[in-house]
Amino acid sequence: MVRTLILMRHGKSAYPDGVDDHERPLAPRGRREAGLAGQWLRATQPSIDAVRCSTATRTRETLAATRITAPVVFDSAIYEAAPETLIELIQLSDDEVATLLVIGHAPGMPWTAWELASNHDGAPAVELSRKFPTSALAVLRFDRPWADVDPGTGELINFHIPR
């Protein structure tokens, strides 16, 4: 079975006084762009089977704004995670999951997308290497079970910035 991994950075967050980083909410622009990301996901991905989402407020609000309704696991390990940690979480995905959406933060999301991709010379990789802004999505395909996903084993097929 071909597997699809979508790595999404949370929407643009607000910076209210006295609010801890983990609890920062989305800014109005972040809600709007996360909603646009959800529209794009529903138009381009036939189905999303599972979601892994950071426990941070802005990532949970990003997921809500996308209106993606797949089963979700909120995981505190995604917050400030390095690519190695994110790859380990991806490897633990259920074999029945064909399409997995992971919603997290920078620099984890862009670094993980770059690390997993085998193709660094195509248009999606060039765009990803320039900037991975809020609400951006990297879509990778794998020809192996999740447990065998390792650096350089995926094909970066799309990079989308919803604006």
Side-chain angles (χ1 to χ4, degrees), residues 4-10 41 48 50-54 59 62-63 73 75 78 81 86-87 89-90 93 99-105 108-109 112 116 132 136-138 146:
T4 302
L5 173 65
I6 305 158
L7 298 174
M8 180 179 186
R9 184 175 173 198
H10 63 77
L41 284 168
I48 294 175
V51 178
R52 283 191 169 265
C53 184
S54 164
T59 53
T62 296
L63 174 59
V73 172
D75 194 329
I78 296 171
L86 293 168
I87 292 169
L89 290 171
I90 292 161
S93 298
T99 302
L100 173 65
L101 170 63
V102 180
I103 303 175
H105 310 266
M109 292 295 104
T112 302
L116 289 173
F132 201 113
L137 302 124
W146 293 117

Short mmCIF file of all heavy atoms in Angstrom, two decimals, residues 4-10 41 48 50-54 59 62-63 73 75 78 81 86-87 89-90 93 99-105 108-109 112 116 132 136-138 146:
data_model
loop_
_atom_site.label_atom_id
_atom_site.label_comp_id
_atom_site.label_asym_id
_atom_site.label_seq_id
_atom_site.Cartn_x
_atom_site.Cartn_y
_atom_site.Cartn_z
N THR A 4 0.64 8.08 2.39
CA THR A 4 0.79 9.52 2.21
C THR A 4 0.92 10.17 3.57
O THR A 4 0.11 9.93 4.46
CB THR A 4 -0.43 10.11 1.46
OG1 THR A 4 -0.54 9.45 0.19
CG2 THR A 4 -0.25 11.60 1.24
N LEU A 5 1.94 10.99 3.71
CA LEU A 5 2.18 11.75 4.93
C LEU A 5 2.04 13.23 4.61
O LEU A 5 2.65 13.72 3.66
CB LEU A 5 3.59 11.47 5.46
CG LEU A 5 4.05 12.33 6.64
CD1 LEU A 5 3.21 12.04 7.89
CD2 LEU A 5 5.54 12.08 6.91
N ILE A 6 1.23 13.92 5.40
CA ILE A 6 1.07 15.36 5.24
C ILE A 6 1.58 16.02 6.51
O ILE A 6 1.08 15.75 7.60
CB ILE A 6 -0.41 15.74 5.01
CG1 ILE A 6 -0.98 14.97 3.82
CG2 ILE A 6 -0.55 17.25 4.81
CD1 ILE A 6 -2.48 14.85 3.83
N LEU A 7 2.60 16.83 6.36
CA LEU A 7 3.16 17.57 7.48
C LEU A 7 2.68 19.01 7.37
O LEU A 7 2.92 19.67 6.37
CB LEU A 7 4.69 17.52 7.45
CG LEU A 7 5.30 16.11 7.59
CD1 LEU A 7 6.81 16.17 7.39
CD2 LEU A 7 4.96 15.50 8.93
N MET A 8 1.98 19.46 8.40
CA MET A 8 1.40 20.81 8.39
C MET A 8 1.94 21.62 9.56
O MET A 8 1.95 21.14 10.69
CB MET A 8 -0.12 20.74 8.48
CG MET A 8 -0.80 22.08 8.46
SD MET A 8 -2.60 21.92 8.53
CE MET A 8 -3.06 23.64 8.30
N ARG A 9 2.35 22.84 9.26
CA ARG A 9 2.71 23.76 10.33
C ARG A 9 1.44 24.47 10.78
O ARG A 9 0.57 24.81 9.97
CB ARG A 9 3.73 24.78 9.82
CG ARG A 9 4.21 25.70 10.91
CD ARG A 9 5.30 26.62 10.43
NE ARG A 9 5.61 27.61 11.46
CZ ARG A 9 6.25 28.73 11.24
NH1 ARG A 9 6.67 29.02 10.01
NH2 ARG A 9 6.47 29.57 12.22
N HIS A 10 1.31 24.72 12.07
CA HIS A 10 0.13 25.39 12.61
C HIS A 10 -0.08 26.75 11.95
O HIS A 10 0.84 27.34 11.37
CB HIS A 10 0.25 25.57 14.12
CG HIS A 10 1.41 26.44 14.52
ND1 HIS A 10 1.38 27.81 14.42
CD2 HIS A 10 2.63 26.11 15.00
CE1 HIS A 10 2.53 28.31 14.82
NE2 HIS A 10 3.31 27.29 15.18
N LEU A 41 -6.88 20.52 1.47
CA LEU A 41 -6.75 19.10 1.82
C LEU A 41 -7.95 18.29 1.34
O LEU A 41 -7.79 17.21 0.76
CB LEU A 41 -6.58 18.93 3.33
CG LEU A 41 -5.21 19.27 3.88
CD1 LEU A 41 -5.25 19.35 5.40
CD2 LEU A 41 -4.17 18.26 3.42
N ILE A 48 -8.31 11.39 4.69
CA ILE A 48 -7.25 11.40 5.70
C ILE A 48 -7.71 10.42 6.77
O ILE A 48 -8.79 10.56 7.33
CB ILE A 48 -7.02 12.81 6.24
CG1 ILE A 48 -6.48 13.70 5.11
CG2 ILE A 48 -6.06 12.79 7.43
CD1 ILE A 48 -6.32 15.15 5.46
N ALA A 50 -5.96 9.40 9.64
CA ALA A 50 -5.56 9.65 11.02
C ALA A 50 -4.82 10.97 11.11
O ALA A 50 -4.20 11.42 10.14
CB ALA A 50 -4.67 8.52 11.53
N VAL A 51 -4.90 11.58 12.30
CA VAL A 51 -4.21 12.84 12.56
C VAL A 51 -3.42 12.68 13.85
O VAL A 51 -3.92 12.13 14.84
CB VAL A 51 -5.21 14.01 12.73
CG1 VAL A 51 -4.49 15.32 13.05
CG2 VAL A 51 -6.08 14.17 11.49
N ARG A 52 -2.20 13.17 13.84
CA ARG A 52 -1.40 13.33 15.05
C ARG A 52 -1.16 14.83 15.18
O ARG A 52 -0.67 15.45 14.25
CB ARG A 52 -0.06 12.59 14.96
CG ARG A 52 -0.20 11.12 15.17
CD ARG A 52 1.18 10.49 15.34
NE ARG A 52 1.08 9.14 15.78
CZ ARG A 52 1.14 8.75 17.05
NH1 ARG A 52 1.29 9.61 18.01
NH2 ARG A 52 1.05 7.48 17.35
N CYS A 53 -1.51 15.38 16.31
CA CYS A 53 -1.48 16.82 16.49
C CYS A 53 -0.79 17.17 17.81
O CYS A 53 -1.04 16.53 18.83
CB CYS A 53 -2.91 17.36 16.49
SG CYS A 53 -3.06 19.15 16.60
N SER A 54 0.05 18.18 17.77
CA SER A 54 0.65 18.70 18.99
C SER A 54 -0.46 19.12 19.96
O SER A 54 -1.56 19.47 19.54
CB SER A 54 1.53 19.91 18.63
OG SER A 54 1.85 20.67 19.77
N THR A 59 -2.02 24.54 17.58
CA THR A 59 -2.13 23.39 16.67
C THR A 59 -3.53 22.78 16.76
O THR A 59 -4.09 22.38 15.74
CB THR A 59 -1.06 22.33 16.98
OG1 THR A 59 -1.11 21.98 18.36
CG2 THR A 59 0.32 22.83 16.60
N THR A 62 -5.73 24.98 14.86
CA THR A 62 -5.47 24.79 13.43
C THR A 62 -6.25 23.58 12.93
O THR A 62 -6.93 23.65 11.89
CB THR A 62 -3.96 24.61 13.17
OG1 THR A 62 -3.28 25.82 13.53
CG2 THR A 62 -3.69 24.27 11.71
N LEU A 63 -6.17 22.47 13.65
CA LEU A 63 -6.91 21.26 13.26
C LEU A 63 -8.40 21.57 13.19
O LEU A 63 -9.07 21.20 12.21
CB LEU A 63 -6.64 20.12 14.23
CG LEU A 63 -7.47 18.85 14.02
CD1 LEU A 63 -7.26 18.27 12.63
CD2 LEU A 63 -7.15 17.83 15.11
N VAL A 73 -5.00 11.88 17.48
CA VAL A 73 -4.24 11.65 18.70
C VAL A 73 -3.48 12.94 18.97
O VAL A 73 -2.71 13.41 18.12
CB VAL A 73 -3.25 10.47 18.56
CG1 VAL A 73 -2.34 10.38 19.78
CG2 VAL A 73 -4.00 9.18 18.33
N ASP A 75 -0.58 14.71 20.85
CA ASP A 75 0.67 14.17 21.37
C ASP A 75 1.59 15.31 21.78
O ASP A 75 2.03 16.10 20.93
CB ASP A 75 1.32 13.31 20.30
CG ASP A 75 2.44 12.45 20.82
OD1 ASP A 75 3.13 12.86 21.78
OD2 ASP A 75 2.64 11.36 20.26
N ILE A 78 5.11 16.16 20.03
CA ILE A 78 5.24 16.90 18.77
C ILE A 78 5.68 18.34 19.02
O ILE A 78 6.37 18.94 18.20
CB ILE A 78 3.92 16.85 17.97
CG1 ILE A 78 3.61 15.41 17.57
CG2 ILE A 78 3.97 17.76 16.74
CD1 ILE A 78 2.23 15.21 16.97
N ALA A 81 9.50 19.18 18.77
CA ALA A 81 10.15 17.91 18.42
C ALA A 81 11.17 18.10 17.30
O ALA A 81 10.96 18.85 16.34
CB ALA A 81 9.11 16.90 17.98
N LEU A 86 9.88 13.08 15.49
CA LEU A 86 8.71 13.05 14.60
C LEU A 86 8.70 11.80 13.73
O LEU A 86 7.66 11.18 13.53
CB LEU A 86 8.65 14.32 13.76
CG LEU A 86 8.36 15.59 14.57
CD1 LEU A 86 8.62 16.83 13.72
CD2 LEU A 86 6.95 15.58 15.10
N ILE A 87 9.86 11.42 13.23
CA ILE A 87 9.95 10.21 12.41
C ILE A 87 9.58 8.98 13.25
O ILE A 87 8.85 8.10 12.78
CB ILE A 87 11.34 10.08 11.75
CG1 ILE A 87 11.51 11.19 10.69
CG2 ILE A 87 11.53 8.70 11.12
CD1 ILE A 87 12.92 11.33 10.16
N LEU A 89 7.52 8.91 15.77
CA LEU A 89 6.06 8.94 15.93
C LEU A 89 5.36 8.45 14.67
O LEU A 89 4.37 7.72 14.74
CB LEU A 89 5.59 10.35 16.28
CG LEU A 89 5.97 10.86 17.66
CD1 LEU A 89 5.64 12.34 17.79
CD2 LEU A 89 5.28 10.05 18.74
N ILE A 90 5.85 8.86 13.51
CA ILE A 90 5.28 8.43 12.23
C ILE A 90 5.42 6.91 12.08
O ILE A 90 4.49 6.22 11.66
CB ILE A 90 5.94 9.19 11.06
CG1 ILE A 90 5.55 10.68 11.12
CG2 ILE A 90 5.58 8.57 9.72
CD1 ILE A 90 6.46 11.60 10.33
N SER A 93 2.71 4.60 13.46
CA SER A 93 1.35 4.66 12.91
C SER A 93 0.83 3.27 12.56
O SER A 93 1.59 2.39 12.15
CB SER A 93 1.32 5.55 11.68
OG SER A 93 1.68 6.86 12.03
N THR A 99 -3.29 7.49 4.82
CA THR A 99 -2.95 8.92 4.79
C THR A 99 -2.95 9.46 6.21
O THR A 99 -3.95 9.39 6.92
CB THR A 99 -3.93 9.72 3.92
OG1 THR A 99 -3.92 9.17 2.59
CG2 THR A 99 -3.54 11.18 3.85
N LEU A 100 -1.79 10.00 6.60
CA LEU A 100 -1.59 10.53 7.95
C LEU A 100 -1.29 12.03 7.87
O LEU A 100 -0.42 12.44 7.09
CB LEU A 100 -0.41 9.81 8.61
CG LEU A 100 0.06 10.34 9.97
CD1 LEU A 100 -1.02 10.15 11.03
CD2 LEU A 100 1.36 9.64 10.37
N LEU A 101 -2.00 12.81 8.67
CA LEU A 101 -1.76 14.25 8.79
C LEU A 101 -1.11 14.50 10.14
O LEU A 101 -1.64 14.06 11.17
CB LEU A 101 -3.08 15.01 8.68
CG LEU A 101 -3.06 16.51 9.02
CD1 LEU A 101 -2.17 17.29 8.07
CD2 LEU A 101 -4.49 17.07 9.01
N VAL A 102 0.03 15.19 10.15
CA VAL A 102 0.71 15.57 11.38
C VAL A 102 0.73 17.09 11.43
O VAL A 102 1.21 17.74 10.50
CB VAL A 102 2.15 15.01 11.46
CG1 VAL A 102 2.82 15.45 12.76
CG2 VAL A 102 2.15 13.49 11.32
N ILE A 103 0.21 17.66 12.52
CA ILE A 103 0.18 19.11 12.69
C ILE A 103 1.11 19.48 13.82
O ILE A 103 0.93 19.03 14.95
CB ILE A 103 -1.25 19.62 12.97
CG1 ILE A 103 -2.19 19.19 11.84
CG2 ILE A 103 -1.25 21.15 13.12
CD1 ILE A 103 -3.65 19.55 12.07
N GLY A 104 2.10 20.30 13.49
CA GLY A 104 3.11 20.66 14.46
C GLY A 104 3.68 22.04 14.24
O GLY A 104 2.97 22.96 13.81
N HIS A 105 4.95 22.17 14.50
CA HIS A 105 5.60 23.46 14.62
C HIS A 105 6.86 23.52 13.77
O HIS A 105 7.39 22.50 13.35
CB HIS A 105 5.99 23.69 16.09
CG HIS A 105 4.87 23.44 17.04
ND1 HIS A 105 4.05 24.45 17.49
CD2 HIS A 105 4.41 22.30 17.63
CE1 HIS A 105 3.15 23.95 18.31
NE2 HIS A 105 3.34 22.65 18.41
N GLY A 108 10.44 21.78 13.39
CA GLY A 108 10.24 20.34 13.23
C GLY A 108 9.59 19.93 11.92
O GLY A 108 10.04 18.99 11.27
N MET A 109 8.51 20.61 11.53
CA MET A 109 7.81 20.21 10.31
C MET A 109 8.69 20.37 9.07
O MET A 109 8.84 19.42 8.30
CB MET A 109 6.50 21.00 10.15
CG MET A 109 5.43 20.68 11.18
SD MET A 109 4.79 18.99 11.11
CE MET A 109 5.61 18.27 12.51
N THR A 112 11.68 17.86 9.12
CA THR A 112 11.27 16.48 8.93
C THR A 112 10.90 16.21 7.48
O THR A 112 11.27 15.18 6.91
CB THR A 112 10.10 16.14 9.87
OG1 THR A 112 10.52 16.37 11.22
CG2 THR A 112 9.66 14.70 9.72
N LEU A 116 12.90 13.44 5.27
CA LEU A 116 12.25 12.26 4.73
C LEU A 116 12.29 12.21 3.20
O LEU A 116 12.24 11.13 2.62
CB LEU A 116 10.79 12.21 5.20
CG LEU A 116 10.60 11.87 6.68
CD1 LEU A 116 9.13 12.01 7.07
CD2 LEU A 116 11.11 10.45 6.99
N PHE A 132 8.93 27.66 5.02
CA PHE A 132 7.81 26.80 5.40
C PHE A 132 6.95 27.63 6.34
O PHE A 132 7.00 27.49 7.57
CB PHE A 132 8.33 25.54 6.11
CG PHE A 132 7.40 24.36 6.12
CD1 PHE A 132 7.71 23.22 5.42
CD2 PHE A 132 6.23 24.39 6.86
CE1 PHE A 132 6.87 22.10 5.45
CE2 PHE A 132 5.37 23.29 6.90
CZ PHE A 132 5.70 22.15 6.19
N ALA A 136 1.45 26.03 6.13
CA ALA A 136 1.98 25.33 4.95
C ALA A 136 1.88 23.82 5.14
O ALA A 136 1.86 23.31 6.27
CB ALA A 136 3.42 25.73 4.69
N LEU A 137 1.81 23.12 4.00
CA LEU A 137 1.65 21.66 3.99
C LEU A 137 2.67 21.03 3.05
O LEU A 137 2.78 21.44 1.89
CB LEU A 137 0.25 21.29 3.50
CG LEU A 137 -0.90 21.87 4.31
CD1 LEU A 137 -1.82 22.67 3.41
CD2 LEU A 137 -1.65 20.79 5.00
N ALA A 138 3.38 20.02 3.55
CA ALA A 138 4.27 19.21 2.71
C ALA A 138 3.64 17.83 2.60
O ALA A 138 3.26 17.24 3.62
CB ALA A 138 5.65 19.11 3.34
N TRP A 146 4.62 2.18 7.45
CA TRP A 146 5.06 3.30 8.30
C TRP A 146 6.29 2.92 9.12
O TRP A 146 7.18 3.76 9.31
CB TRP A 146 3.93 3.73 9.23
CG TRP A 146 2.76 4.35 8.53
CD1 TRP A 146 1.48 3.86 8.50
CD2 TRP A 146 2.73 5.57 7.78
NE1 TRP A 146 0.67 4.70 7.77
CE2 TRP A 146 1.42 5.76 7.32
CE3 TRP A 146 3.68 6.51 7.44
CZ2 TRP A 146 1.03 6.85 6.55
CZ3 TRP A 146 3.31 7.61 6.67
CH2 TRP A 146 2.00 7.76 6.23
#
